[in-house]
Amino acid sequence: VRYRPPRSLVAVLLAAASTAGATTIVGMTERALGRSADAIVIGTVARIETVAGRDGAIHTLVTLEVEERYKGHVAPVVTLKQPGGRLGGRQLWIAGSPRFVRGERQLVFLSARRDGTARTTALGLGQFRLAPHPRTGDVMAERPVDLLVLGARPLRRVPLWKLLRTLRRAARDDRGRATAPLLAEPPELSLPGLERETVEAFQVMDAPPARWFEPDGGQPVVYAVDPSGDAKLGPTASLAAIDGALAAWTNVSGAAITLARGGAAVPAPLSCNGVTQIVFNDPFDEMGAPVGCSGVLALGGYCSGAASTVVNGLTFYRILEGNITFNSGFGGCSFWNTANLAEVATHEVGHTIGIGHSSEDDVAAPELKDATMYYRAHFDGRGAAVHADDVDAVRFVYPGPGGGPDDSDADGRQDAEDNCPKLPNAAQTDSDGDGLGDLCDACPLESDAEGALCEPIFVSKLVATRTRRRGRIVWRGSIDLPEDATVDAARALLVHQSGVLVDTAMGSSLGASARHPSALRYRSGRGQIVLRRRGPGTYAVRVTVRRVDLGTAPVPLISASLRVGSVSFSDSLACSRRRGRRFTCRG
Ligand SMILES: [Zn+2]
């Protein structure tokens, strides 16, 4: 059993679920952040201190010496109050938190709480660390992204000047919107009688593994749940989503954890107050309102103590309490429905039992991308479901009697003779004949025996539409094509669980004779592949295929491959349910 120690916890972050080329989405996301923030500054981390309140609250106070202000009114020295931290043996971990190290220079987006104290906007998304590029010396802005994200991959690294240009544009659009003033110092900075500790770094995300000890004694883990439910979806649907999430983890055979819904939660802020709770509609304004359907969707974490135990060779600290708070204000967004609430709840509950992300890499193995614990939301209608890699993780952390079934993915093929045992693929399609089914193969067009690797396809999106004559598929993405690549032919291969959806080889490209062609076009009887140059080595790809037999069975996952000349690209796409005549899949 392969297992990654839980690196990060909870917190769901939604980037705008829009559709467009990569750069636009990224720009929009930073613009939304810029619009939402009350202040934007560059400063240096001067001091970090963790303080504990009597009510169980743990905060980390981060003092910044401000050198430059881009928005809002901020004192030359400002102290942020970030939720979470480690004090003595106790810790409160809030997933997706920003990271701070003393002496580090950062660009931060700041928001005022109701009491005027400052915090980063949208947790870790509102933070960029600044450091010179090792080769060019340009100042680069970088951030870790370890939240659950919907939509486009968030910007992780960008030259500072480019980021500032985006922010200036956002500020121009935004003229006249009032910003809240930020307190220079939260009261906790000087309040006597608080337990406090100065630390060098605030990096709660790099936390050691933790687990509940209750299952070891056959006890359930009980969540008090806010009976009012999500304001848009209502109490019945909301509680059903939570019950589904708890059951999804409980029902894994070979794992010994039981999660149960207890009484009604009296909503409390995220703190270590001894109550494990799930709360809706952000009653304590802990995450800020969404902007244009983007922002933090839910916040969660857990409290752990100093006791530890060893399971499967790994030392785990004891989880004492888990908390999840859902935001308000997403009710009007197209994606906000019961199935998606259930998916988010399942992901968040997974964090509260100590399970980290299957991967935070956009170019991850298909079964890691398929996991409910992947860092990006699927919103493919899966609802409260755990998939193969989630099952491995919970079995590892809470080993129990009874093993897994002989057919893990329930596709009618015993694991021992399934060429892709972790993803349903009844058809067993294996285009390159390397023994690895296409749905599990990171490179379905190149036999692994040759040690071939595929290049990634970024911001991949596929729309399948049923037409009068069968169906039509439009698949778009972005690729990096090496300057010396041959571009004489192209092939697109789309495979799903029931077999090959599209396999179309196309000959000689128009435009391929130029040294750095601005466009490459390949045609066959049924479709075409168009590559348009977007920058040095970067091409936008559009594959259009007509007369595709879309069938009527669900298409949860598509293995999407492209070959241009001698270079192969691949991505696995998670698909929405069919709505009317179409469904949409995203990489
Ligand atoms: Zn997560």
Side-chain angles (χ1 to χ4, degrees):
V1 177
R2 186 181 33 74
Y3 173 74
R4 318 141 314 275
R7 271 171 296 153
S8 62
L9 315 173
V10 207
V12 177
L13 213 122
L14 290 184
S18 50
T19 62
T23 3
T24 323
I25 296 173
V26 163
M28 279 175 61
T29 306
E30 269 52 57
R31 284 170 95 142
L33 260 180
R35 282 212 310 274
S36 158
D38 291 309
I40 304 171
V41 303
I42 286 181
T44 302
V45 178
R47 187 158 185 257
I48 309 171
E49 187 184 53
T50 303
V51 296
R54 283 173 210 88
D55 55 357
I58 297 181
H59 284 101
T60 297
L61 310 179
V62 180
T63 301
L64 288 178
E65 285 167 358
V66 176
E67 66 181 70
E68 198 85 56
R69 269 158 291 210
Y70 297 95
K71 183 182 180 181
H73 305 281
V74 185
V77 177
V78 62
T79 300
L80 320 185
K81 181 176 154 188
Q82 299 293 143
R86 190 176 310 187
L87 198 66
R90 287 171 301 146
Q91 28 209 334
L92 169 60
W93 291 349
I94 309 287
S97 288
R99 305 167 189 210
F100 297 97
V101 177
R102 210 162 59 86
E104 207 170 61
R105 199 166 159 245
Q106 297 199 350
L107 181 146
V108 284
F109 298 78
L110 300 177
S111 291
R113 281 197 190 72
R114 279 177 202 158
D115 64 4
T117 57
R119 64 178 172 204
T120 56
T121 309
L123 297 147
L125 208 65
Q127 162 192 55
F128 282 93
R129 290 178 283 191
L130 305 180
H133 191 283
R135 202 162 31 83
T136 64
D138 288 351
V139 178
M140 302 297 290
E142 294 179 351
R143 70 177 158 196
V145 177
D146 44 19
L147 314 122
L148 175 60
V149 171
L150 172 73
R153 61 187 180 141
L155 182 65
R156 299 190 190 212
R157 192 159 186 256
V158 63
L160 178 61
W161 68 265
K162 231 175 181 173
L163 178 60
L164 292 176
R165 189 182 63 185
T166 305
L167 296 179
R168 274 194 298 272
R169 286 177 184 164
R172 237 186 356 245
D173 299 347
D174 193 30
R175 213 166 327 168
R177 185 183 161 265
T179 55
L182 298 169
L183 276 184
E185 289 188 5
E188 287 85 350
L189 195 63
S190 48
L191 213 61
L194 293 183
E195 193 184 339
R196 56 180 76 235
E197 204 173 289
T198 301
V199 290
E200 271 301 300
F202 176 54
Q203 299 189 333
V204 291
M205 304 316 305
D206 302 325
R211 67 191 285 281
W212 292 88
F213 289 7
E214 276 68 8
D216 306 341
Q219 299 296 309
V221 174
V222 181
Y223 293 75
V225 182
D226 173 6
S228 55
D230 176 74
K232 159 90 182 298
L233 302 173
T236 310
S238 304
L239 293 185
I242 299 302
D243 287 345
L246 300 177
W249 294 106
T250 300
N251 292 342
V252 173
S253 69
I257 189 163
T258 301
L259 309 178
R261 172 150 67 92
V266 179
L270 285 172
S271 66
C272 302
N273 63 353
V275 182
T276 288
Q277 62 167 17
I278 298 175
V279 172
F280 295 95
N281 310 313
D282 190 22
F284 301 94
D285 184 30
E286 291 177 280
M287 56 200 97
V291 176
C293 288
S294 72
V296 180
L297 178 63
L299 199 61
Y302 59 71
C303 306
S304 63
S308 67
T309 180
V310 176
V311 174
N312 279 323
L314 211 60
T315 300
F316 290 86
Y317 288 96
R318 180 172 192 171
I319 298 180
L320 300 168
E321 179 186 337
N323 296 303
I324 301 168
T325 302
F326 289 93
N327 207 347
S328 60
F330 281 100
C333 307
S334 61
F335 53 78
W336 202 227
N337 57 46
T338 310
N340 291 344
L341 172 64
E343 182 185 338
V344 171
T346 306
H347 181 103
E348 299 295 343
V349 167
H351 282 315
T352 67
I353 62 173
I355 296 175
H357 288 153
S358 59
S359 173
E360 284 159 5
D361 196 336
D362 292 298
V363 188
E367 67 269 23
L368 300 185
K369 287 181 79 172
D370 180 58
T372 300
M373 296 309 292
Y374 186 52
Y375 92 102
R376 278 164 56 190
H378 304 78
F379 287 8
D380 55 359
R382 69 178 57 203
V386 290
H387 286 201
D389 190 73
D390 309 312
V391 167
D392 281 356
V394 70
R395 280 186 188 145
F396 183 93
V397 183
Y398 302 99
D406 298 328
D407 177 11
S408 309
D409 55 12
D411 63 359
R413 293 271 176 167
Q414 302 276 297
D415 287 358
E417 55 207 41
D418 190 336
N419 68 12
C420 176
K422 291 190 167 191
L423 297 170
N425 68 329
Q428 300 281 296
T429 311
D430 178 11
S431 300
D432 57 6
D434 62 358
L436 200 56
D438 285 3
L439 284 189
C440 278
D441 196 334
C443 204
L445 285 176
E446 307 284 341
S447 164
D448 290 308
E450 294 156 21
L453 284 174
C454 267
E455 300 295 322
I457 301 170
F458 299 110
V459 289
S460 210
K461 187 188 173 194
L462 180 152
V463 178
T465 313
R466 180 179 290 282
T467 59
R468 223 147 37 88
R469 314 180 67 192
R470 304 217 277 188
R472 177 170 184 264
I473 280 179
V474 179
W475 172 36
R476 295 165 197 269
S478 167
I479 58 170
D480 293 337
L481 197 60
E483 294 283 333
D484 56 352
T486 56
V487 291
D488 51 321
R491 178 181 175 189
L493 172 70
L494 303 174
V495 173
H496 67 136
Q497 60 178 356
S498 317
V500 174
L501 207 54
V502 166
D503 186 358
T504 173
M506 305 183 193
S508 65
S509 160
L510 307 165
S513 53
R515 180 149 159 68
H516 300 295
S518 60
L520 292 165
R521 215 178 292 267
Y522 306 85
R523 282 182 212 280
S524 73
R526 289 167 61 206
Q528 65 168 359
I529 299 175
V530 181
L531 279 71
R532 283 182 202 285
R533 195 162 182 269
R534 287 284 179 257
T538 302
Y539 286 82
V541 182
R542 187 173 193 269
V543 179
T544 314
V545 188
R546 296 179 304 274
R547 302 201 302 276
V548 180
D549 182 3
L550 295 174
T552 49
V555 177
L557 207 63
I558 290 179
S559 160
S561 303
L562 177 74
R563 186 190 275 153
V564 178
S566 55
V567 189
S568 289
F569 302 86
S570 188
D571 196 6
S572 67
L573 315 177
C575 302
S576 68
R577 287 206 185 139
R578 285 173 201 253
R579 267 182 227 102
R581 290 165 49 225
R582 66 167 54 191
F583 61 90
T584 306
C585 313
R586 286 170 206 275

